[in-house]
Amino acid sequence: RTQGLEGNYAAKYWDPEWKEIVKARVKEAMDKGYDGVYLDRVDTYENVKAPGGSKAEMVKLVEEVSRTAKSRKGNAAVIVQNGEELVNDERYARAIDGIAKEDLYHGIHHDKRRNSSEEVSQAEKHLSRAKAKGKSVMVVEYLDDDDDEANSAKSRARSKGFVPTTARRELD
């Protein structure tokens, strides 16, 4: 079970049977006319350890999903959420079209507090690297849309060339 996400479970993302389920869903989405796929929780590799190397196995999954989507629709967009450090892997970078980063400036521990300078700097470094490789970078902050923290976060994200938005964590 995924901590803090009732009804969600971490999968063995390296398992061939799981990959086939994911790829079948991607094919179905592409065949229904969707323009791409959004892969949430690619950072799962940090907590669910794969035999043979967790980062490498997540990269393989994303590559396979990307090939599947693009084989159905050549210009399909592949957007990943979090796991921005994976952009350092060239195979991964080639497989994706964009990254969405949650909690870049506030709430990395789901508490709306400002993240440490080190956490922000490290994430911005990876996201800027993705941007330099031509990838879209979106930032999602779970803050009230009109407060000072939200406005400050949006301004800083824009200054980096990122596309910011605010949302409710409950996504209701």
Side-chain angles (χ1 to χ4, degrees):
R1 200 173 121 192
T2 303
Q3 183 180 2
L5 298 172
E6 190 64 35
N8 287 273
Y9 299 87
K12 293 179 181 176
Y13 50 90
W14 60 90
D15 184 275
E17 288 181 49
W18 175 250
K19 287 181 179 184
E20 289 308 313
I21 291 169
V22 172
K23 291 188 289 188
R25 299 236 95 173
V26 168
K27 288 175 188 174
E28 182 181 329
M30 294 295 97
D31 291 347
K32 287 182 177 179
Y34 286 91
D35 292 326
V37 294
Y38 190 101
L39 304 174
D40 194 3
R41 299 299 315 267
V42 297
D43 56 345
T44 296
Y45 79 88
E46 295 172 339
N47 301 314
V48 180
K49 300 303 180 189
S54 300
K55 279 186 181 180
E57 290 299 332
M58 184 57 74
V59 168
K60 284 181 192 175
L61 172 63
V62 172
E63 280 184 305
E64 289 180 35
V65 167
S66 180
R67 274 195 304 273
T68 300
K70 292 174 188 299
S71 74
R72 289 295 223 244
K73 184 174 186 174
N75 64 347
V78 177
I79 308 297
V80 293
Q81 182 161 292
N82 300 327
E84 62 278 358
E85 64 283 354
L86 293 174
V87 78
N88 296 322
D89 184 301
E90 286 304 315
R91 292 174 23 236
Y92 181 82
R94 282 192 303 272
I96 66 169
D97 299 291
I99 298 176
K101 172 64 178 165
E102 291 178 296
D103 305 315
L104 175 57
Y105 301 113
H106 295 84
I108 199 167
H109 302 290
H110 298 190
D111 57 9
K112 292 190 179 186
R113 288 189 307 191
R114 179 96 169 111
N115 298 337
S116 74
S117 296
E118 182 179 314
E119 290 165 328
V120 171
S121 175
Q122 189 70 6
E124 281 183 336
K125 180 179 84 175
H126 295 302
L127 295 170
S128 292
R129 186 171 291 132
K131 184 85 177 138
K133 292 179 182 210
K135 310 305 175 186
S136 297
V137 176
M138 295 147 279
V139 174
V140 180
E141 293 290 332
Y142 297 107
L143 298 168
D144 295 328
D145 192 42
D146 58 355
D147 68 14
D148 289 341
E149 287 93 2
N151 290 330
S152 175
K154 287 179 190 177
S155 178
R156 182 163 176 178
R158 283 188 195 103
S159 77
K160 301 285 184 184
F162 308 156
V163 178
T165 193
T166 56
R168 291 175 37 92
R169 192 171 295 281
E170 297 79 20
L171 301 178
D172 58 354

